[in-house]
Amino acid sequence: MGIKMILNAKAVYGVPVKIFTTDVDEQSLTQLRKMAQLEFIHSHIAVMPDVHVGKGATVGSVIPTKQAIIPAAVGVDIGCGMNALRLSLKAEQLPDNLSALRNAIERKVPVGFEMHKQVRAKASTLTPMEKRLERITRKHPGLTRMLRHFNSTWQKQLGTLGGGNHFIELCLDENQDVWVMLHSGSRGLGNAIGTYFIERAKKEAQHRFGHVPDRDLSYFAEGSSLFDDYFEAVEWAQEYAYENRREMMRLILEAIRPLLPSFQMTKEAINCHHNYVQKELHFDEEVYVTRKGAIRAGKDEYGIIPGSMGAASFIVKGKGNPESFCSCSHGAGRKMSRSKAKISFSQQDLIQQTQGIECRKDKGVVDEIPGAYKDIHEVMANQQDLIEVVHTLRQVLCIKG
């Protein structure tokens, strides 16, 4: 079950687009054709089976670039990703009613626009991050005006969930082992960094590589000061996202310990990005790989592919497929927009589709209803050449931002 479609670029310059599914909407195909026209794309663009239209670049795309980075392809939720940890508990050790666990986690981990009242993270984590951030804001003081109470906000948001499709879950695997799983990114400051540099790229368009078919594909060329500044800032945001998930996991475990039998953490722990850029070697050339809604799936590397809030999720191991640039999907992928989901489904639909799961069932999360997402099992079937499944999880508790 490998590549299902190939778009061959018809522009003066272009690369193929190799797609691991046939379930692709027209808007996504249009975006992908534009991306393929960029002269600095290396080899081809790979598209994962959870593909859907995105802002700037198509979600589910893996974009290898030579001597350039597209800030809008990385996006504004820089470093967004997953964290999962298996506990030494069995399903039978969980209480019959999980509402107390959900309430305890929500008291410890702020969700939505909320943040901690005081800084919770350790100074050993914050101090080096603060020093690196000061270097970035000295060069770009405009960043500090994009976030209210700049310094205190990014520190108080460390260890918080955010909104949208970010979540915290308790899950059970095929052996009835208990897992804690969460999905979050770089919060307000990551958004500010992404927005700031996307606008700079559009305003100060560079033309080293010729025509750009869409302003959202404006780029920074390697060797320019803005390229170096952006790469430093995006690396900072990716580290922040990683630490945010780690701090959240610590707080979740702290919240649930008093309510459960004594437990230990197993060695199976995964913390991975799915919106990020980093330097990698592919087809004998060092390139910048932007994964826009995709995770790295190098040979024997572990990753997490969540379904919707009413479907299975998967712990996977990569096969290192070169055609996908050692990547796989980051989830099920939306099949309809949030606005369409809100008018297509009712609160009763949500209640029905999340039966047996301790979670919010109000109108405020109807846009996250399982029916708004692609079938995760079809998505997984389309990437058998990319990953192997290690564990299959089903959620019993879900907290949405």
Side-chain angles (χ1 to χ4, degrees):
M1 305 294 284
I3 297 164
K4 300 292 186 65
M5 295 174 62
I6 298 179
L7 304 181
N8 288 306
K10 296 178 181 177
V12 175
Y13 182 86
V15 296
V17 179
K18 299 182 180 182
I19 308 174
F20 288 80
T21 182
T22 57
D23 182 13
V24 196
D25 62 273
E26 279 301 320
Q27 282 183 288
S28 293
L29 291 172
T30 298
Q31 281 189 327
L32 290 166
R33 289 188 182 100
K34 288 180 179 179
M35 288 160 56
Q37 295 174 33
L38 296 168
E39 292 188 35
F40 49 83
I41 303 292
H42 172 58
S43 176
H44 64 276
I45 293 170
V47 182
M48 302 301 101
D50 58 342
V51 56
H52 58 281
V53 69
K55 187 175 180 180
T58 315
V59 178
S61 57
V62 183
I63 311 160
T65 54
K66 297 180 289 186
Q67 301 180 314
I69 294 177
I70 309 162
V74 180
V76 297
D77 197 359
I78 301 169
C80 183
M82 300 291 301
N83 194 352
L85 178 67
R86 183 161 66 91
L87 307 180
S88 61
L89 289 174
K90 292 289 187 180
E92 63 194 32
Q93 294 175 283
L94 293 177
D96 292 335
N97 189 327
L98 300 177
S99 61
L101 283 173
R102 179 182 155 202
N103 292 337
I105 294 170
E106 289 177 339
R107 285 194 296 270
K108 280 280 187 182
V109 180
V111 303
F113 293 107
E114 299 299 318
M115 67 182 81
H116 294 293
K117 290 181 172 57
Q118 281 122 15
V119 176
R120 295 295 305 269
K122 295 177 181 178
S124 58
T125 297
L126 290 171
T127 301
M129 294 187 75
E130 191 170 19
K131 288 180 179 177
R132 288 179 62 198
L133 184 59
E134 284 175 358
R135 288 201 303 271
I136 295 165
T137 55
R138 273 200 301 271
K139 295 178 186 176
H140 297 277
L143 275 171
T144 63
R145 296 189 290 272
M146 297 185 68
L147 197 63
R148 192 178 178 191
H149 307 304
F150 183 85
N151 283 317
S152 63
T153 295
W154 74 262
Q155 294 185 41
K156 289 178 181 178
Q157 284 187 339
L158 197 61
T160 66
L161 184 62
N165 62 355
H166 294 161
F167 63 78
I168 298 166
E169 291 183 344
L170 284 186
C171 303
L172 305 177
D173 68 13
E174 66 284 348
N175 301 312
Q176 298 300 293
D177 289 326
V178 177
W179 290 71
V180 180
M181 186 167 72
L182 62 89
H183 171 210
S184 191
S186 51
R187 304 294 286 109
L189 186 46
N191 186 295
I193 288 170
T195 301
Y196 176 86
F197 281 102
I198 288 169
E199 291 308 309
R200 289 295 298 267
K202 289 177 180 178
K203 287 177 182 176
E204 302 178 36
Q206 299 171 47
H207 303 287
R208 180 186 299 182
F209 299 104
H211 172 66
V212 175
D214 191 316
R215 286 189 73 233
D216 282 331
L217 298 176
S218 298
Y219 61 90
F220 295 132
E222 191 173 37
S224 68
S225 60
L226 279 172
F227 179 97
D228 293 338
D229 292 353
Y230 175 67
F231 198 68
E232 182 179 15
V234 84
E235 281 194 318
W236 186 94
Q238 287 168 188
E239 181 187 334
Y240 180 91
Y242 184 94
E243 291 296 338
N244 181 44
R245 291 192 293 272
R246 191 158 70 169
E247 176 66 11
M248 239 189 303
M249 184 64 77
R250 184 184 73 79
L251 293 171
I252 293 164
L253 298 178
E254 194 177 281
I256 65 177
R257 276 191 188 281
L259 302 174
L260 294 172
S262 179
F263 63 82
Q264 303 297 321
M265 286 76 73
T266 73
K267 291 181 180 178
E268 287 189 285
I270 307 149
N271 194 341
C272 59
H273 298 319
H274 55 226
N275 279 354
Y276 70 112
V277 60
Q278 69 180 16
K279 235 179 197 183
E280 295 180 7
L281 187 68
H282 291 282
F283 298 103
D284 299 320
E285 193 162 345
E286 195 170 57
V287 292
Y288 295 98
V289 177
T290 298
R291 291 186 174 90
K292 172 85 166 182
I295 63 171
R296 182 170 166 84
K299 179 67 174 172
D300 295 331
E301 285 186 24
Y302 281 81
I304 307 163
I305 302 177
S308 65
M309 64 190 288
S313 296
F314 301 89
I315 306 298
V316 300
K317 189 162 62 173
K319 293 185 176 180
N321 189 314
E323 293 294 338
S324 72
F325 302 102
C326 300
S327 307
C328 68
S329 83
H330 81 311
R334 296 193 74 93
K335 68 180 181 184
M336 65 176 66
S337 67
R338 294 185 182 279
S339 57
K340 186 175 179 181
K342 287 177 180 177
I343 61 174
S344 300
F345 295 103
S346 66
Q347 184 180 0
Q348 190 57 43
D349 293 326
L350 177 65
I351 292 168
Q352 185 176 1
Q353 292 184 29
T354 58
Q355 282 184 4
I357 301 168
E358 172 62 41
C359 64
R360 284 178 62 188
K361 300 178 190 283
D362 57 84
K363 291 181 179 179
V365 290
V366 167
D367 58 339
E368 281 296 306
I369 192 170
Y373 284 83
K374 294 182 181 182
D375 184 335
I376 186 63
H377 298 287
E378 288 184 17
V379 169
M380 297 302 291
N382 282 325
Q383 53 187 338
Q384 292 177 25
D385 286 0
L386 309 182
I387 46 92
E388 64 176 282
V389 174
V390 180
H391 295 291
T392 301
L393 311 182
R394 64 177 179 88
Q395 68 270 71
V396 291
L397 181 155
C398 179
I399 296 168
K400 281 282 184 184

